[in-house]
Amino acid sequence: MSTRAGHHDVTGPRVTGRVARLRRRAGLLVGLAAAGLALSSCAVPFAGTGMPMMGMRSTCAPTHLTGSVVRVALMDMRHRMMMGGGAMRLVAAPGTVRAGRVTFVARNVGRHTHELVVLPLHGARAGLLPVGPHHRVSEAGSLGEASRSCGSGAGQGIRPGTSGWVTLRLGAGRYELVCNEPRHYQRGMHAELVVR
């Protein structure tokens, strides 16, 4: 509908909805561009996996790795719009390994203390565990964890710029890798691992 020569009314519900969708898409594109720029401008490869990490090298690493090796990046972003709004991520590579001894090397490339807990995956996919009153998921049935800065096994958390590791014997199945610091699971710090 024309209001004056050469101008159109953009207040109708159909046009307003289209404008809102375009604004959301533009916001998503800006967020993705910012994340890509951050990764490309300050990233370093994550120990031979080709996975970019946010410009921080670990000050420690295990000297002897046994079995299959899963490298885990524990990330938190400075801006919520980066990485789609969750602001935190746990990324594991590879996502599938052979049954037997599996060594997890978790590197904290964020600004907060993180940890890695390995749980059997009982649901359809990772990220669906109920969160308790202390903003954590239950660790009942945990197979092990890497939560010691510059060391193996359980500790007080993996500090920024450091790594923790753990070697476990895993049977075939699906597992959920989580950071169980308060609210971190809810903010996106979980991933699925398939063991065959």
Side-chain angles (χ1 to χ4, degrees), residues 107-144:
R107 182 170 9 153
N108 185 345
V109 296
R111 298 179 306 142
H112 302 283
T113 297
H114 295 296
E115 66 179 2
L116 171 68
V117 179
V118 181
L119 301 167
L121 179 60
H122 297 296
R125 61 184 172 87
L128 300 177
L129 291 173
V131 178
H134 297 288
H135 308 287
R136 297 176 188 253
V137 298
S138 170
E139 292 186 16
S142 168
L143 301 167

Side-chain angles (χ1 to χ4, degrees), residues 45-87:
F46 187 21
T49 65
M51 184 175 10
M53 294 297 101
M54 297 299 291
M56 183 183 296
R57 295 187 186 277
S58 178
T59 59
C60 55
T63 56
H64 183 67
L65 303 177
T66 60
S68 299
V69 177
V70 176
R71 300 195 182 273
V72 180
L74 306 167
M75 300 183 277
D76 53 81
M77 310 303 280
R78 289 190 171 97
H79 304 290
R80 287 189 60 79
M81 78 175 181
M82 295 174 77
M83 300 301 284

